[in-house]
Amino acid sequence: MSQASEKRHFSHRLRDTNSAFLPARSPGSAPVRVGFVLQPHFSMMAFTAAVDALVTANLVQSTPLFSVSSYGLHGTAVTSDLAIDIATSHALADLPLDGDEALDVLVVCGGFRCDLSEQLLLTRKLKLANRREKVLAGLWNGAVALAHAGTLNQHSCAIHPDNHSYARERFPQVEVSSQAMVVDERILTSAGPSSALEMMLMLIERLHGRDTVRAIREILSSDRLADSSETRLALAEHDTALPEALRNLLRLMNSNIEEPLGIAELAGYVQLSRRRVERLFQTHLQTTPSRYYLELRITQARRLLLQSDASIANIAVACGFVSSTHFSHCFKDFFGVSPSQARQLRHRA
């Protein structure tokens, strides 16, 4: 299933708002302990998407909101679906469900080639977690392990489409949903990487509110925006499908970052009218020359900000901004965070 189709098929069903789902956390409370059980050949993308949401949640607050630990099914080393060996924090036998170190949330990570047969130790852990009213979750086909433990009886769950037939045949008391994500009371399941991220964001919103999730989305979407922007800007001036005059304008802009040229100057260099230059940008790049030039400079500034130790003031000058204040305003408008926040987040990550 594509990421786009997953986004069209998210579902959540909180049938009882006073259920055993973890209560909302107050500021300064102890971090929520989240443990990931990694099955052999687990989906690395689904796992990292879920962990990314939790790690980013810690970055947007002054105190950690979550602690994350991982557990190997048969030891402390697990091979992912990418054939990369991952060292886990502990073996499954050491997964704590009682005492001061007890987990609050237990997530089972599946994958395309994961063994769907019952793992007795995992079943025992899941049954105990269910009795202790922990939040349970499954990624990809991790819901199969939850079903083996009986925790999904009379519940709906999301699972990767390749495993729908198996799950319906093997677990008749479980409703296998066609949705990419199901949040049902204190059980959360998702069918792939995109839905794994959304599932964890729903958990975070339940515990820490919409403002925290909004801040997380801003950071994650800014990264995607920056990556796609850099790729597009880098390729545009070499795109032979664009008119030669436009490519010449793009080269001029790239060559004059520190001391930006005015639109009239650019038009003069390529012997076109200002109106003709504006039409070229609008027709072929769906933007204005000024906006494109700003995007080019602000993207270069972001690259310098994250890859060098130069001061923000010096970066502003190097990218043609009249002041640090003007640079900061432009940067925040474009990326959603200030230059200093972007640098802090990269260092903390």
Side-chain angles (χ1 to χ4, degrees):
M1 179 180 292
S2 69
Q3 291 186 6
S5 62
E6 283 181 357
K7 291 178 181 176
R8 290 194 296 268
H9 290 86
F10 288 141
S11 171
H12 60 94
R13 307 189 313 174
L14 293 173
R15 291 188 286 187
D16 177 5
T17 56
N18 296 316
S19 69
F21 202 86
L22 284 171
R25 290 308 213 244
S26 59
S29 58
V32 175
R33 297 186 181 89
V34 183
F36 290 84
V37 177
L38 307 182
Q39 301 186 90
H41 310 298
F42 70 95
S43 168
M44 180 76 85
M45 283 187 67
F47 169 60
T48 54
V51 173
D52 195 13
L54 302 177
V55 171
T56 307
N58 287 344
L59 294 176
V60 302
Q61 298 291 342
S62 57
T63 58
L65 304 182
F66 298 92
S67 67
V68 177
S69 54
S70 54
Y71 300 84
L73 204 60
H74 306 298
T76 57
V78 186
T79 302
S80 74
D81 60 341
L82 302 179
I84 298 174
D85 291 334
I86 301 298
T88 61
S89 310
H90 310 279
L92 179 61
D94 299 322
L95 187 148
L97 293 169
D98 293 299
D100 294 338
E101 300 301 317
L103 297 177
D104 301 299
V105 182
L106 179 56
V107 185
V108 181
C109 302
F112 185 74
R113 293 188 294 124
C114 282
D115 184 357
L116 300 182
S117 61
E118 183 175 12
Q119 305 296 319
L120 295 180
L121 177 57
L122 180 56
T123 292
R124 289 198 295 271
K125 290 289 186 179
L126 289 169
K127 286 183 175 180
L128 178 58
N130 194 45
R131 289 197 297 271
R132 299 289 188 269
E133 297 189 332
K134 308 295 184 181
V135 173
L136 303 177
L139 307 181
W140 197 285
N141 51 22
V144 169
L146 303 182
H148 278 302
T151 61
L152 290 178
N153 290 347
Q154 313 309 320
H155 288 270
S156 177
C157 74
I159 193 170
H160 194 276
D162 285 344
N163 304 121
H164 281 188
S165 296
Y166 170 85
R168 290 187 174 116
E169 176 69 23
R170 179 66 177 77
F171 308 109
Q173 295 186 19
V174 177
E175 178 189 344
V176 178
S177 174
S178 60
Q179 310 296 328
M181 178 184 74
V182 175
V183 176
D184 193 349
E185 296 179 354
R186 57 182 174 80
I187 298 177
L188 306 84
T189 49
S190 64
S194 295
S195 50
L197 174 62
E198 293 297 325
M199 184 186 80
M200 297 311 290
L201 290 176
M202 287 195 66
L203 173 67
I204 294 167
E205 181 176 330
R206 174 64 181 85
L207 296 173
H208 297 288
R210 292 182 180 178
D211 287 345
T212 299
V213 170
R214 188 178 300 113
I216 295 169
R217 287 191 186 279
E218 284 181 0
I219 292 173
L220 298 182
S221 64
S222 293
D223 283 347
R224 289 195 293 272
L225 176 61
D227 292 342
S228 62
S229 174
E230 288 192 25
T231 300
R232 178 172 57 81
L233 292 170
L235 294 177
E237 69 174 89
H238 304 292
D239 186 353
T240 56
L242 297 178
E244 184 178 358
L246 179 55
R247 284 184 281 134
N248 288 335
L249 287 165
L250 300 184
R251 292 189 188 100
L252 281 168
M253 289 179 171
N254 270 302
S255 301
N256 293 274
I257 297 292
E258 186 172 350
E259 296 183 7
L261 300 172
I263 304 305
E265 289 180 278
L266 289 167
Y269 277 117
V270 295
Q271 299 181 338
L272 295 174
S273 69
R274 179 181 181 127
R275 180 166 293 184
R276 175 59 178 159
V277 167
E278 291 172 343
R279 281 203 298 268
L280 280 172
F281 274 84
Q282 193 61 54
T283 300
H284 297 281
L285 299 175
Q286 292 76 54
T287 189
T288 65
S290 297
R291 176 64 182 177
Y292 184 93
Y293 212 166
L294 174 62
E295 187 177 346
L296 189 68
R297 291 157 51 217
I298 206 75
T299 302
Q300 170 68 2
R302 179 184 181 273
R303 191 180 298 115
L304 293 174
L305 188 75
L306 301 182
Q307 298 178 7
S308 76
D309 295 324
S311 69
I312 291 174
N314 286 341
I315 290 172
V317 171
C319 295
F321 292 92
V322 296
S323 69
S324 297
T325 301
H326 180 228
F327 168 56
S328 294
H329 284 317
C330 291
F331 192 96
K332 188 166 186 178
D333 285 344
F334 197 81
F335 294 114
V337 293
S338 69
S340 58
Q341 288 173 325
R343 180 167 272 178
Q344 288 169 6
L345 290 170
R346 176 56 60 91
H347 288 164
R348 290 171 66 179

